[in-house]
Amino acid sequence: MAINSIGSATSPIIRSLIDMRAQFDDLQRQLSTGQKSATYAGLGPNRGLAVDLNTQLSAIAGFGSTIDTVTTRINLAQNALSAISDIGNSIRSSVVQGSSSAGLAGANITQVNAQSSVQQLLALLNTQGANGYLFSGRATDQSAVDTYDHIINGDGPRAGLKQLISERGQADLGADGLGRLLIGAPTATSVSLSEDAVSPFGFKLASVTSTLANATITGPSGAPASLSVDFSAAPNDGGSLTVRLNMPDGTSENLTLTATSQSPPGPNQFSIGATPAATAANLKSALTAALGTLAGGALKAASAVQASNEFFDADLANPPQRVDGPPFDTATSLIAGTSANTVIWYTGEAGAGSARDTATARIDSSLVVSYGTRANEQGVRSVVQNVATLAAVNTSSDPNAADLTAALYQRLAVNLAGAPGTQSVNDIAADLAGVQTSMKAAKATHQQTSATLTDFLQQIQGVSNEQVGAELLALQTRMQAALQTTAMLSQISLVNYLK
């Protein structure tokens, strides 16, 4: 008969001890990790469900990370937009209150404030987040706007805003400063007023109304447009002639001249002469003076605003329109600038479509949010453009400083207020606020779903520490008993047995 050694690996006792040891190690692992099994295979029939639950929880965690990243980016954009809005409101308040009423010093202070504000605006538009520049559309690795010095003063051969305003001003005022209008005398008793060419520059004759007696008014008509006033006798004292003039920026002004028997006549008045010819000569002189004053004030302001419109309504794909010159004071058309001869203020991505769609994020399996922004969006561009115009036009050193300042401030105040139906900075902020609301709701849903799934998964994968502890104690007792028995049996020998 063969007698196996009790220490043999094939001994039932030893195999039992090995199994108990493995079970003891597994229970210790469960106690330390809180997990029923180290592999899905150990979960039995629930392993497929556990895999699915873990996949869902991983997706939710990914959505949460995306939401946190986008939230940070939007918060930075909202802070910038709030500051941009505050700057626009501050400048608008300054021009509405008419800071120039303090004289040249007031105008200088307002312009210095505007220059500082433009620099702040540009810095805000070049704000960077974790994923690059916020206001560059899809080109997050590219700054959104050029530098203040380049935009205002130019960059070598590339013209800046001041140069475009100067060129446009020359084209709109003309060589004689009368707004590209010609004043003539077709006959001894008549006065004519006509545009010098068919062009986008200078005053444009829109209409004329008159309460002058013994005066025949013709026009405006033709291309270029013209009108005439012909006296057959002395006009009535107090009778007036009003010419409505369209400006380059889309606004209009009324030029009114009143007949008077007083001598000398006051501003915007003309003397009633002893003859129709004398009256016509007086009207011509008064018209020349009034046009020069209006051109030096309202027209020059409108010209600066329009030049700014053209400068800022541009990007790398669509350079700004410029006066086709030199010479500029007789120019009759605009020509497209190039990136080689004109500073392009917006340097970010300027593709087609909504700016919001330039950055998107999936925050749920069925929800994608759009949160992109561009510095050249209408609401932002309007603030930058109008503040930059104020910074670039030096009204204090102009011979018509009072009229120019008043006309410029009036236009900028209206533009900064925004036209009904046009985008404002607040509209952009509202779009982003809507995204923030959606993400907040999605995050709350994810948290609730994650808690539910985690609890369910815990029931499948998790263990009870109390139960595992009890099993460990019971197993430890069994192992001790088995080891003691094995130790006793190991001391038995045939000699002891025969005794």
Side-chain angles (χ1 to χ4, degrees):
M1 178 182 296
I3 300 176
N4 292 329
S5 171
I6 197 168
S8 172
T10 60
S11 169
I13 294 177
I14 298 301
R15 286 200 303 269
S16 176
L17 286 172
I18 293 173
D19 290 342
M20 283 190 288
R21 177 64 187 186
Q23 186 179 358
F24 185 82
D25 290 342
D26 186 60
L27 288 172
Q28 282 189 317
R29 182 198 56 76
Q30 292 184 35
L31 190 63
S32 63
T33 64
Q35 298 296 308
K36 185 178 295 183
S37 173
T39 64
Y40 285 116
L43 297 178
N46 288 327
R47 58 182 174 270
L49 180 57
V51 171
D52 183 58
L53 291 175
N54 275 311
T55 300
Q56 293 184 54
L57 286 171
S58 178
I60 289 174
F63 292 141
S65 178
T66 299
I67 289 173
D68 290 341
T69 300
V70 174
T71 296
T72 300
R73 184 179 176 90
I74 291 180
N75 287 341
L76 289 172
Q78 290 282 43
N79 290 338
L81 290 170
S82 177
I84 290 170
S85 179
D86 289 344
I87 290 172
N89 291 335
S90 175
I91 294 297
R92 179 173 179 270
S93 177
S94 294
V95 296
V96 167
Q97 293 172 4
S99 299
S100 62
S101 60
L104 295 182
N108 284 332
I109 292 173
T110 301
Q111 186 171 51
V112 169
N113 289 340
Q115 292 168 349
S116 174
S117 295
V118 174
Q119 295 178 58
Q120 294 177 49
L121 289 170
L122 298 178
L124 289 167
L125 292 176
N126 277 334
T127 298
Q128 296 185 63
N131 296 326
Y133 291 91
L134 303 184
F135 294 94
S136 294
R138 291 184 177 87
T140 54
D141 60 340
Q142 173 64 48
S143 61
V145 294
D146 208 329
T147 66
Y148 170 84
D149 187 52
H150 289 174
I151 290 173
I152 299 297
N153 301 313
D155 177 26
R158 300 193 302 149
L161 178 60
K162 282 187 176 180
Q163 184 171 335
L164 265 67
I165 288 176
S166 174
E167 293 172 0
R168 179 83 201 207
Q170 295 174 61
D172 283 321
L173 269 68
D176 58 4
L178 295 181
R180 304 294 292 270
L181 292 181
L182 303 176
I183 303 174
T187 65
T189 60
S190 65
V191 178
S192 65
L193 185 63
S194 60
E195 299 169 14
D196 70 347
V198 176
S199 76
F201 306 121
F203 291 121
K204 299 300 172 187
L205 301 176
S207 62
V208 60
T209 56
S210 172
T211 60
L212 294 172
N214 302 315
T216 302
I217 312 298
T218 305
S221 60
S226 64
L227 63 86
S228 65
V229 181
D230 192 357
F231 293 99
S232 58
N236 51 316
D237 192 354
S240 64
L241 175 74
T242 299
V243 180
R244 189 164 185 80
L245 300 168
N246 289 336
M247 300 290 187
D249 65 343
T251 61
S252 59
E253 297 282 343
N254 288 334
L255 189 156
T256 299
L257 296 176
T258 303
T260 180
S261 57
Q262 295 180 353
S263 182
N268 294 322
Q269 292 182 334
F270 66 96
S271 298
I272 300 173
T275 64
T279 300
N282 292 337
L283 174 61
K284 182 180 178 182
S285 296
L287 187 58
T288 301
L291 277 176
T293 299
L294 190 61
L299 179 59
K300 194 169 184 178
S303 176
V305 169
Q306 182 58 23
S308 187
N309 287 340
E310 292 159 354
F311 180 81
F312 284 96
D313 187 19
D315 52 56
L316 292 174
N318 301 287
Q321 294 290 303
R322 299 181 58 178
V323 180
D324 189 6
F328 300 111
D329 54 11
T330 57
T332 57
S333 63
L334 293 166
I335 187 172
T338 68
S339 58
N341 65 19
T342 312
V343 171
I344 309 299
W345 79 281
Y346 174 66
T347 55
E349 177 266 338
S354 168
R356 241 40 88 238
D357 292 336
T358 60
T360 60
R362 183 172 292 279
I363 61 171
D364 189 83
S365 57
S366 59
L367 180 59
V368 175
V369 294
S370 300
Y371 60 95
T373 51
R374 293 190 183 114
N376 68 343
E377 291 186 65
Q378 184 180 38
V380 174
R381 185 188 70 199
S382 177
V383 176
V384 177
Q385 173 181 324
N386 286 287
V387 178
T389 303
L390 183 57
V393 179
N394 189 352
T395 59
S396 61
S397 62
D398 193 275
N400 298 293
D403 290 340
L404 174 58
T405 300
L408 182 64
Y409 282 13
Q410 178 185 22
R411 284 165 168 77
L412 297 182
V414 172
N415 293 344
L416 285 169
T422 60
Q423 186 195 59
S424 68
V425 174
N426 290 337
D427 292 331
I428 300 173
D431 289 345
L432 297 182
V435 175
Q436 289 176 307
T437 300
S438 297
M439 291 195 300
K440 184 177 181 180
K443 189 169 187 176
T445 300
H446 292 331
Q447 289 172 340
Q448 295 172 1
T449 303
S450 179
T452 301
L453 294 180
T454 300
D455 183 63
F456 189 17
L457 186 61
Q458 180 63 23
Q459 296 177 31
I460 298 173
Q461 293 182 320
V463 294
S464 168
N465 289 338
E466 292 79 6
Q467 181 181 347
V468 173
E471 290 180 3
L472 272 172
L473 288 175
L475 182 60
Q476 187 177 21
T477 301
R478 287 168 52 202
M479 289 179 68
Q480 287 176 344
L483 287 170
Q484 290 174 352
T485 300
T486 303
M488 293 173 62
L489 290 174
S490 67
Q491 296 176 0
I492 297 176
S493 66
L494 183 59
V495 174
N496 292 334
Y497 178 75
L498 292 176
K499 288 180 179 180

